[in-house]
């Protein structure tokens, strides 16, 4: 025989061996896609609901980027001007300015800095996992709007006509504010500026799903100066409070003096804060708890804020799989785009809500364990997922344990 023929024979031998091994270790799958199937296949255990599950912001922090992938918040921009048309940017300049500002804000969100406070902290600086996208409402616009209104265009954060908390401009001009975060760029009132006692502060205010920004027109060459102001105000919209206070709901943001710039004095000691939700010259750090609060709102199916996020969790992505190899708990809500596979020796406990993408599945391999602890697994996009696949081999099988009320919804097992 020639050497080529040896190679062919040898390959056939190896292939037939592999085939035999596969036949011997044949794996069969059972689908659990309904409550009835769960009760038939799974072992029921009695356990009270863990009252902390679904609640703690840290259970929503983006430690794992497969579980908490990059989210995109839709934005549009309104430029307010009087009928004279001289108090705000021109259309061309306005578009350019805000595109630069938003790109800079997005860039800063990818460069989350380590917290300076408390001293010697080991707070992780996670990837924030969100960005902004300028979003048109229809094919007739590009997400930028220019309004002329002598009554509602100006911003005043001082004096008897103070209107920073007033929502009238939003009520009149917001567009698609159920799905798009509306940003209003407003000039300070020219009459107040003329007095010399009113300062054109760089300031903003978050009101519902809209926000007002002021001071931009007065600094027309420095859009990047306002990038962290945008990030700060969007932080407010998604549930963050000022972090120099004690009651901001986060243990990783210490109380401090809230100095713009520390000078080593007792009043403003070094180091100062660099947190995004304080007033300081950096605003470049967001803690895991703060990010958890934001992502908790992304995940809250009853929150109006979730609707501002592009629902990328509706798209199945088979290029990656969420593999569970050890003891894992999912205590916060999740919206997944990938299949989930629990390997031999791995154990996954689900304690909250999980949305599975269309056509995706959770596979429990032989020797793997899935624990459904007072949870809900569904598809939040009006589509169907393929349910839980429990695998069995000759010697072993996947195991499901459930406790309390477990909802398995929107699977292909349910005939519609
Ligand atoms: Zn603020």
């Amino acid at each position: 025989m020639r050497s080529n023929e040896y190679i062919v024979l040898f390959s056939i031998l190896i292939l037939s061996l592999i085939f035999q091994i596969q036949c011997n270790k044949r794996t069969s799958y059972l689908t659990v896609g309904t409550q009835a199937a769960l009760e038939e296949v799974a072992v029921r255990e009695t356990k009270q609901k863990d009252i902390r599950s679904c609640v703690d912001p840290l259970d929503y922090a983006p430690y794992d980027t497969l579980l908490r992938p990059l989210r995109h918040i839709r934005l549009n921009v309104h430029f307010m001007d009087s009928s004279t048309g001289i108090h705000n940017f021109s259309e061309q300049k306005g578009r350019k300015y805000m595109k630069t500002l938003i790109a800079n804000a997005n860039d800063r969100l990818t460069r989350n800095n380590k917290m300076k406070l408390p001293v010697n902290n080991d707070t992780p600086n996670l990837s924030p996992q969100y960005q902004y996208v300028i979003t048109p409402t229809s094919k007739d616009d590009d997400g930028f709007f220019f309004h002329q209104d002598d009554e509602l265009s100006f911003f005043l954060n001082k004096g008897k006509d103070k209107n920073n908390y007033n929502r009238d401009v939003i009520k009149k001009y917001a567009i698609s504010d159920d799905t798009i975060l509306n940003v209003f760029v407003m000039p300070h009132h020219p009459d107040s500026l003329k007095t010399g006692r009113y300062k054109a502060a760089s300031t903003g205010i978050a009101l519902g799903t809209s926000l007002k920004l002021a001071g931009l027109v007065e600094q027309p060459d420095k859009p990047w100066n306002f990038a962290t102001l945008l990030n700060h105000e969007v932080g407010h919209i998604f549930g963050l409070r000022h972090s120099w206070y004690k009651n901001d709901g986060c243990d990783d943001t210490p109380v401090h003096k809230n100095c713009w710039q520390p000078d080593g004095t007792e009043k403003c000691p070094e180091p100062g804060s660099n947190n995004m939700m304080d007033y300081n010259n950096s605003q470049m750090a967001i803690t895991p708890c703060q990010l958890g609060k934001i992502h908790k709102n992304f995940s809250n199916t009853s929150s109006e804020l979730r609707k501002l996020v592009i629902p990328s969790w509706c798209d199945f992505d088979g290029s990656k799989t969420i593999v569970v190899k050890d003891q894992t708990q999912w205590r916060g809500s999740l919206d997944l785009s990938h299949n989930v596979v629990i390997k031999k020796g791995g154990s996954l406990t689900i304690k909250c809500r999980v949305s599975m993408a269309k056509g995706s599945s959770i596979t429990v391999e032989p020797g793997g364990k899935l624990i459904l602890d007072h949870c809900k697994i569904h598809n939040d996009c009006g589509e169907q997922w393929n349910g839980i696949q429990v695998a069995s081999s000759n010697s072993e099988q996947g195991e499901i344990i459930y406790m309390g009320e477990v909802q398995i919804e929107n699977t292909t097992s349910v005939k519609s």
Side-chain angles (χ1 to χ4, degrees):
M1 270 196 212
R2 290 206 312 260
S3 67
N4 276 1
E5 287 167 339
Y6 275 117
I7 290 170
V8 169
L9 252 178
F10 185 69
S11 304
I12 289 170
L13 186 72
I14 293 289
L15 278 173
S16 63
L17 262 174
I18 291 172
F19 184 67
Q20 263 189 341
I21 290 166
Q22 279 185 337
C23 286
N24 289 341
K25 286 191 78 176
R26 203 168 49 211
T27 307
S28 61
Y29 292 90
L30 196 76
T31 302
V32 175
T34 60
Q35 243 80 3
L38 180 72
E39 283 164 28
E40 216 167 280
V41 171
V43 175
R44 185 184 174 90
E45 285 184 6
T46 308
K47 182 174 164 283
Q48 290 291 313
K49 185 175 168 60
D50 178 356
I51 52 159
R52 291 164 306 164
S53 58
C54 309
V55 178
D56 189 343
L58 285 175
D59 291 327
Y60 295 81
Y63 282 97
D64 183 331
T65 56
L66 273 187
L67 301 182
R68 307 249 173 232
L70 187 65
R71 301 301 190 202
H72 290 92
I73 299 168
R74 302 182 194 94
L75 295 189
N76 66 23
V77 182
H78 302 262
F79 295 90
M80 301 305 303
D81 205 341
S82 68
S83 54
T84 60
I86 57 165
H87 296 293
N88 211 324
F89 297 107
S90 69
E91 295 204 7
Q92 194 193 359
K93 270 197 176 154
R95 280 188 174 88
K96 193 172 169 217
Y97 188 96
M98 283 307 286
K99 280 181 186 173
T100 307
L101 190 160
I102 291 165
N104 192 268
N106 275 334
D107 175 57
R108 287 170 192 265
L109 284 175
T110 66
R111 294 186 287 115
N112 186 15
N113 286 1
K114 243 194 98 41
M115 285 281 284
K116 284 189 179 166
L117 293 176
V119 177
N120 296 329
N121 73 81
D122 56 2
T123 308
N125 49 333
L126 306 176
S127 166
Q129 298 295 89
Y130 68 95
Q131 293 274 281
Y132 313 122
V133 186
I134 299 162
T135 307
T137 292
S138 71
K139 59 181 189 325
D140 300 324
D141 72 86
D142 61 355
F144 292 97
F145 303 93
F146 298 83
H147 310 287
Q148 293 193 338
D149 188 314
D150 291 330
E151 295 281 307
L152 300 175
S153 285
F154 297 112
F155 189 92
L156 274 165
N157 61 344
K158 283 188 180 72
K160 65 175 172 51
D161 296 322
K162 179 172 156 171
N163 67 2
N164 47 353
Y165 284 94
N166 190 297
R167 292 176 188 242
D168 288 351
V169 69
I170 294 166
K171 282 186 200 146
K172 188 164 177 187
Y173 293 106
I175 295 171
S176 302
D177 58 347
D178 52 343
T179 54
I180 304 175
L181 195 162
N182 283 239
V183 179
F184 288 82
V185 178
M186 303 173 74
H188 284 282
H189 204 295
D191 293 347
S192 301
L193 290 173
K194 261 185 240 160
T195 65
R197 295 186 304 276
Y198 181 94
K199 195 170 165 276
S202 308
T203 185
I205 191 145
L207 297 161
T209 58
S210 298
L211 61 89
K212 302 188 204 172
L213 298 178
L216 289 69
V217 191
E218 294 80 3
Q219 288 188 44
D221 303 321
K222 296 179 179 170
W224 53 87
N225 260 2
F226 296 87
T228 59
L229 176 66
L230 177 68
N231 289 343
H232 177 105
E233 297 306 331
V234 174
H236 279 313
I237 286 185
F238 281 91
L240 300 190
R241 296 187 202 155
H242 289 144
S243 51
W244 66 88
Y245 295 120
K246 197 177 175 190
N247 65 350
D248 74 335
C250 284
D251 291 337
D252 52 13
T253 56
V255 176
H256 61 88
K257 305 255 166 111
N258 193 35
C259 296
W260 178 256
Q261 197 158 5
D263 55 14
T265 61
E266 199 181 319
K267 203 173 157 213
C268 285
E270 299 268 9
S273 168
N274 60 344
N275 190 270
M276 183 176 89
M277 297 312 292
D278 297 326
Y279 298 149
N280 60 67
N281 61 3
S282 164
Q283 296 185 308
M284 284 292 288
I286 325 171
T287 66
C289 171
Q290 290 175 314
L291 289 171
K293 282 185 159 203
I294 292 170
H295 281 266
K296 189 176 173 184
N297 273 316
F298 293 170
S299 306
N300 183 351
T301 51
S302 53
S303 166
E304 59 174 3
L305 300 170
R306 177 174 168 88
K307 300 195 188 93
L308 303 176
V309 181
I310 295 174
S312 51
W313 53 85
C314 292
D315 302 326
F316 174 66
D317 177 1
S319 68
K320 287 176 188 142
T321 300
I322 297 163
V323 178
V324 177
K325 290 179 182 162
D326 41 27
Q327 313 300 300
T328 302
Q329 282 199 349
W330 291 349
R331 297 159 60 93
S333 289
L334 289 165
D335 297 287
L336 304 179
S337 290
H338 312 291
N339 284 326
V340 178
V341 175
I342 305 165
K343 293 283 187 191
K344 182 182 168 78
S347 161
L348 172 63
T349 305
I350 301 179
K351 291 181 161 234
C352 202
R353 180 191 65 80
V354 177
S355 173
M356 297 294 296
K358 181 185 179 182
S360 69
S361 61
I362 299 174
T363 302
V364 191
E365 290 196 346
K369 194 191 281 187
L370 175 63
I371 302 166
L372 303 173
D373 183 352
H374 301 78
C375 67
K376 173 177 175 173
I377 312 176
H378 70 144
N379 172 282
D380 195 41
C381 310
E383 303 282 356
Q384 290 181 314
W385 65 292
N386 286 348
I388 304 163
Q389 314 293 322
V390 187
S392 302
S393 65
N394 284 348
S395 54
E396 265 182 318
Q397 60 189 36
E399 189 185 351
I400 308 183
I401 297 168
Y402 74 108
M403 41 201 71
E405 193 191 341
V406 172
Q407 295 163 271
I408 298 177
E409 296 175 358
N410 319 116
T411 65
T412 43
S413 302
V414 182
K415 302 281 172 284
S416 53

